[in-house]
Amino acid sequence: MRQLQVHIDSNSGFCFGVIYAIQMAEDLLEEKGYLYCLGDIVHNDVEVERLKDKGLRIIDHAMLQTLQNEPVLIRAHGEPPSTYQMALQNNLTLIDASCPVVLKLQNRIKTSFDKQEQIFIYGKHGHAEVIGLLGQTNNEAIVFENLDELLRHELPQNITLYSQTTKSTDSFYRIKGELEARGHAVAANDTICRQVSNRDKELRHFALKFDKVVFVSGTKSSNGRVLYQVCKDTNPNTYFVSKKEELQPEWFGEGETIGICGATSTPMWLMEEVRDVLLTF
């Protein structure tokens, strides 16, 4: 036995938007026995499998078009207006678990679009939340992932700037500053979720306290990739696992302190499983 001292980061785990969506799904599954969900309810394969075992049926937009007279859960990422139109046509009951922070952002972007402002969205191409945001602008807004990509566009004098809710606040304000330095008038709308954006500062503080860090996340989570890199940059002895089976005893030395943390899409029960395995080494 290596007598490891293991601690779970109390700030890690699901954000409130994901907790809300999963609670809603579990309540309906208990009541009905099955439930359709448009896209993975959370970017974590083991949590999705757990809910599938309870009767959750994951569908995509193509399958949504063929479905009729059924309840369908909208996950925390939100959806574009076209999804709601499809639901009306097919007599689907939408159970809307869109995160309130995302809904507020959608409404603000729609208002800017109605005023015919030129909208630029700092976000990840093809991300579910970003698709929902683009839908508010008839897919006319420009999405960019970094400053270099933004500067490749022919930029207007007046720019209305928005961000995907899970982006870094520091990066958002750097982009705003760079645009202003180049002479653009920027109406910057900071709609970044602080529960998510504060995680990187919290994780830097957490990762420094331990000999080794185990970061637990689904491989599909973009938030997970970013936060893992934050940990790795702070503490080079950081290991990424998506489930307990990936842990390797040789990573750890006698009596070391180990910190366990994760993405906003990592369930607490999964981090607890990882802890329990570490304590057997």
Side-chain angles (χ1 to χ4, degrees):
M1 292 281 283
R2 288 181 164 80
Q3 305 292 327
L4 301 175
Q5 297 172 53
V6 186
H7 303 271
I8 297 176
D9 174 25
S10 58
N11 293 312
S12 284
F14 291 153
C15 60
F16 74 86
V18 172
I19 290 170
Y20 174 66
I22 286 175
Q23 188 61 60
M24 205 179 269
E26 288 185 317
D27 290 349
L28 287 157
L29 287 167
E30 208 163 292
E31 187 184 308
K32 198 172 166 66
Y34 75 94
L35 175 66
Y36 291 97
C37 178
L38 187 53
D40 283 347
I41 192 166
V42 63
H43 289 147
N44 188 283
D45 291 340
V46 286
E47 178 68 358
V48 169
E49 284 306 316
R50 183 184 75 82
L51 290 164
K52 276 184 178 174
D53 289 345
K54 289 175 177 271
L56 193 71
R57 301 172 184 177
I58 306 291
I59 58 168
D60 58 19
H61 287 83
M63 291 162 78
L64 185 75
Q65 292 175 25
T66 64
L67 203 63
Q68 294 191 328
N69 313 312
E70 290 283 5
V72 179
L73 184 81
I74 301 290
R75 59 196 174 161
H77 298 98
E79 281 292 319
S82 54
T83 298
Y84 295 86
Q85 288 155 8
M86 174 66 60
L88 281 172
Q89 287 166 24
N90 289 9
N91 196 34
L92 300 170
T93 305
L94 290 186
I95 296 112
D96 200 339
S98 299
C99 171
V101 180
V102 174
L103 284 178
K104 184 179 172 188
L105 172 55
Q106 286 187 354
N107 289 332
R108 286 177 70 173
I109 287 180
K110 174 79 169 71
T111 302
S112 288
F113 180 68
D114 290 344
K115 290 180 186 167
Q116 299 188 314
E117 294 173 10
Q118 301 221 251
I119 299 167
F120 290 78
I121 301 170
Y122 174 41
K124 186 181 178 195
H125 292 290
H127 189 282
E129 182 191 321
V130 172
I131 290 168
L133 300 178
L134 265 177
Q136 311 306 316
T137 73
N138 221 8
N139 294 327
E140 290 176 25
I142 290 170
V143 175
F144 65 96
E145 295 195 5
N146 52 51
L147 187 61
D148 286 346
E149 185 185 348
L150 174 62
L151 296 176
R152 287 200 290 270
H153 290 280
E154 189 80 40
L155 298 176
Q157 174 57 32
N158 297 316
I159 291 172
T160 298
L161 186 63
Y162 283 98
S163 170
Q164 185 179 338
T165 59
T166 50
K167 283 294 184 187
S168 149
T169 38
D170 292 348
S171 300
F172 179 76
Y173 283 105
R174 265 202 306 276
I175 289 162
K176 174 182 183 280
E178 180 62 33
L179 288 170
E180 287 174 340
R182 288 166 180 262
H184 296 280
V186 183
N189 299 273
D190 177 357
T191 49
I192 293 167
C193 176
R194 290 304 186 266
Q195 194 187 2
V196 175
S197 70
N198 288 342
R199 286 269 171 102
D200 58 0
K201 294 181 186 71
E202 290 163 355
L203 277 184
R204 278 180 225 284
H205 188 64
F206 179 80
L208 282 171
K209 295 179 185 173
F210 302 96
D211 297 319
K212 305 273 171 69
V213 174
V214 177
F215 188 88
V216 187
S217 170
T219 52
K220 291 180 191 170
S221 168
S222 48
N223 167 261
R225 278 195 294 278
V226 170
L227 293 179
Y228 165 66
Q229 201 55 54
V230 165
C231 284
K232 186 87 174 158
D233 290 346
T234 309
N235 184 336
N237 296 313
T238 296
Y239 299 94
F240 184 102
V241 299
S242 58
K243 49 182 188 276
K244 61 184 179 182
E245 289 80 7
E246 293 169 5
L247 289 165
Q248 295 180 34
E250 58 270 24
W251 290 347
F252 310 103
E254 187 71 33
E256 284 186 330
T257 58
I258 315 296
I260 299 172
C261 50
T264 51
S265 52
T266 304
M268 186 54 74
W269 65 262
L270 186 58
M271 289 185 281
E272 287 168 351
E273 281 192 352
V274 166
R275 174 199 62 200
D276 294 347
V277 170
L278 286 172
L279 292 172
T280 67
F281 287 168

